[in-house]
Amino acid sequence: MKFTDYTHQADIIHQYIEEQLYHSYLKKYIDQPYIDRNRISYLLLPFVNGKRMLTQQEMKWISTAMFLHVALETHEKVTVSEQDSLKERQLTVLAGVYFSSLYYKTLADTEDVALIETLSNAIKKINECKISMYKEEECRSIEELMENVRIIETSIFAHFYEFFHVKDWVPLLSDAFLYNRLSQERLALMNSQDTIFTNALVSVLKHSNGQPEDDHLLSVIDQTMDQIHKDMAVRLDTKDLVPSGVREILIELLPFTEPLATTKLYAEEG
């Protein structure tokens, strides 16, 4: 599958998911769910095998993983703030349930019981890590907190990759998703927005240094992002790890404003 064909396939899936998630009544009261185009692209990678078009079955597999991701993200938006009306909060919960039903319906249509079990295990891990982040005493180190975030961001996609026998790519995928999440958390912190992650990070740092300043939080995030950047460079430099066609697509998806040295090298080789 050439890169242009790959991009076209991602566009088709994105449009299909958008149509399935649309509900006129929900749209009146809550935001239309965000569909991460890059995540669709990552889900496509296991099917890059030289052919031009996805099968209907493959398209449903990818769509159902995205429905699940959107459903979990929607439930995260439920607040207890009085600034949001009770109706808006109730509809956000119902929207998450509705999006989950699309996940179950689509998987049922594929009659793939094994994939249902695989993704159910991913949901269990994600929920366990979210609980740990909410409970201050659960995360006792920066490393443990970052691992929880990594699992939350990656688990659906990692289980999906493993199910389709491309688990060697999971560390690279995991690094990319964690880097993206930390980029978002960094932006939120700079805009003085509280998040579950920043609250958990404050709690961890308080154990050793007292109440941390925002500059300290930013420093921890930046150091972690720098290390992820280096790790991804090493992984991409391992030429036997990822096939060349997949590597080319991965390079396009990498979440860096400045390209890695290895990405420059492969671009020159291509």
Side-chain angles (χ1 to χ4, degrees):
M1 189 185 293
K2 296 179 181 178
F3 186 77
T4 50
D5 299 324
Y6 180 88
T7 302
H8 179 60
Q9 290 290 311
D11 288 340
I12 292 173
I13 296 171
H14 186 280
Q15 182 178 351
Y16 171 76
I17 292 171
E18 198 170 51
E19 290 171 353
Q20 294 300 307
L21 293 177
Y22 178 80
H23 193 289
S24 58
Y25 184 73
L26 290 175
K27 192 174 185 298
K28 287 182 181 179
Y29 298 97
I30 62 174
D31 294 334
Q32 185 72 3
Y34 172 65
I35 304 166
D36 190 331
R37 175 68 163 63
N38 273 0
R39 287 183 183 258
I40 295 173
S41 296
Y42 280 115
L43 289 169
L44 263 168
L45 285 177
F47 308 106
V48 177
N49 57 8
K51 65 183 180 183
R52 292 182 60 85
M53 298 295 290
L54 288 176
T55 66
Q56 283 293 109
Q57 182 84 327
E58 290 166 345
M59 185 171 173
K60 286 183 177 180
W61 284 331
I62 293 168
S63 298
T64 197
M66 283 302 298
F67 291 147
L68 177 56
H69 172 72
V70 171
L72 292 176
E73 285 212 323
T74 300
H75 278 142
E76 277 196 13
K77 294 176 182 176
V78 180
T79 71
V80 294
S81 172
E82 292 183 0
Q83 293 180 346
D84 300 325
S85 69
L86 176 60
K87 184 170 187 175
E88 184 177 338
R89 282 177 277 160
Q90 288 174 331
L91 283 173
T92 301
V93 173
L94 289 174
V97 173
Y98 173 64
F99 301 148
S100 294
S101 71
L102 291 175
Y103 150 68
Y104 287 112
K105 180 182 183 301
T106 307
L107 267 185
D109 289 343
T110 67
E111 298 182 352
D112 203 324
V113 176
L115 184 55
I116 294 174
E117 182 179 357
T118 296
L119 294 180
S120 294
N121 288 333
I123 296 171
K124 179 175 180 290
K125 288 183 178 180
I126 289 170
N127 287 334
E128 287 173 349
C129 289
K130 285 182 178 179
I131 290 171
S132 292
M133 286 179 66
Y134 274 110
K135 295 173 68 175
E136 291 187 3
E137 68 275 10
E138 289 285 338
C139 291
R140 299 190 176 274
S141 68
I142 293 171
E143 292 75 20
E144 189 176 348
L145 173 60
M146 293 299 176
E147 184 58 24
N148 279 338
V149 177
R150 186 186 291 274
I151 291 170
I152 290 168
E153 291 297 306
T154 310
S155 194
I156 293 171
F157 302 84
H159 280 68
F160 190 88
Y161 271 36
E162 290 170 5
F163 184 81
F164 290 106
H165 311 295
V166 285
K167 63 181 180 180
D168 289 345
W169 306 351
V170 169
L172 196 53
L173 172 92
S174 176
D175 281 345
F177 282 9
L178 178 57
Y179 190 98
N180 272 334
R181 173 65 181 267
L182 292 178
S183 295
Q184 295 166 12
E185 294 293 348
R186 191 182 194 285
L187 182 61
L189 184 58
M190 293 181 71
N191 290 325
S192 302
Q193 297 173 356
D194 282 339
T195 68
I196 298 169
F197 169 80
T198 52
N199 290 337
L201 182 57
V202 166
S203 177
V204 169
L205 294 175
K206 274 168 56 175
H207 289 304
S208 55
N209 302 311
Q211 185 69 28
E213 300 290 334
D214 284 357
D215 285 348
H216 189 187
L217 300 178
L218 285 171
S219 176
V220 171
I221 293 173
D222 287 343
Q223 288 173 21
T224 306
M225 290 175 70
D226 286 344
Q227 186 57 53
I228 295 170
H229 194 285
K230 292 173 184 175
D231 291 344
M232 291 191 77
V234 172
R235 297 191 204 284
L236 279 171
D237 202 33
T238 308
K239 295 189 178 183
D240 294 337
L241 180 63
V242 182
S244 59
V246 174
R247 184 183 288 111
E248 176 188 348
I249 295 169
L250 273 171
I251 289 169
E252 293 289 335
L253 295 173
L254 286 178
F256 305 125
T257 53
E258 291 296 326
L260 295 167
T262 48
T263 66
K264 291 178 181 177
L265 172 65
Y266 292 131
E268 289 168 4
E269 288 180 351

